[in-house]
Amino acid sequence: MAAVSATSVTFGSSLKLLKSSQITGKASSLKMVTVGWTKSGFPSLRTSRFRVSCSAKPETVQKVCEIVKKQLALPAESELTPESKFAALGADSLDTVEIVMSLEEEFGISVEEESSQNITTVQEAADLIEKLVQKNSEA
């Protein structure tokens, strides 16, 4: 699943740097800073957060589950979720390659080797498929 997270903190009052010193050791560097306010009291503090997540359509996830079950010869009653890891289902690297090849054939896409090595769960496969299908339809 693709995700972007961010957090920002804004101080409303002016801050004044009172003292700054640097301590350097063999493997690390630490900078100590003392900060004071030009106004009396605490500054106002405003925080904001945003999160963007992209998920594949449920029907894409379902189709990926079907292909994974078929490729790994799992029983029909096996429960797969988007978080199901291929390795936990007993897939080795060759099985994963075969799963990716079946997905390419089923969805009419081409997955680069670099991308295929990053697929470890049903959700990751479905998200990549959605991305590639959308890219192909825009081209």
Side-chain angles (χ1 to χ4, degrees), residues 7-53:
T7 301
S8 70
V9 178
T10 306
F11 289 94
S13 297
S14 299
L15 296 177
K16 180 176 140 185
L17 184 62
L18 298 177
K19 180 179 166 186
S20 178
S21 59
Q22 183 125 5
I23 301 169
T24 306
K26 280 185 179 178
S28 66
S29 176
L30 174 66
K31 186 170 185 174
M32 296 172 49
V33 177
T34 305
V35 178
W37 288 272
T38 57
K39 293 182 180 179
S40 62
F42 291 104
S44 64
L45 178 65
R46 189 186 87 207
T47 64
S48 61
R49 293 176 180 252
F50 72 92
R51 183 179 180 101
V52 177
S53 296

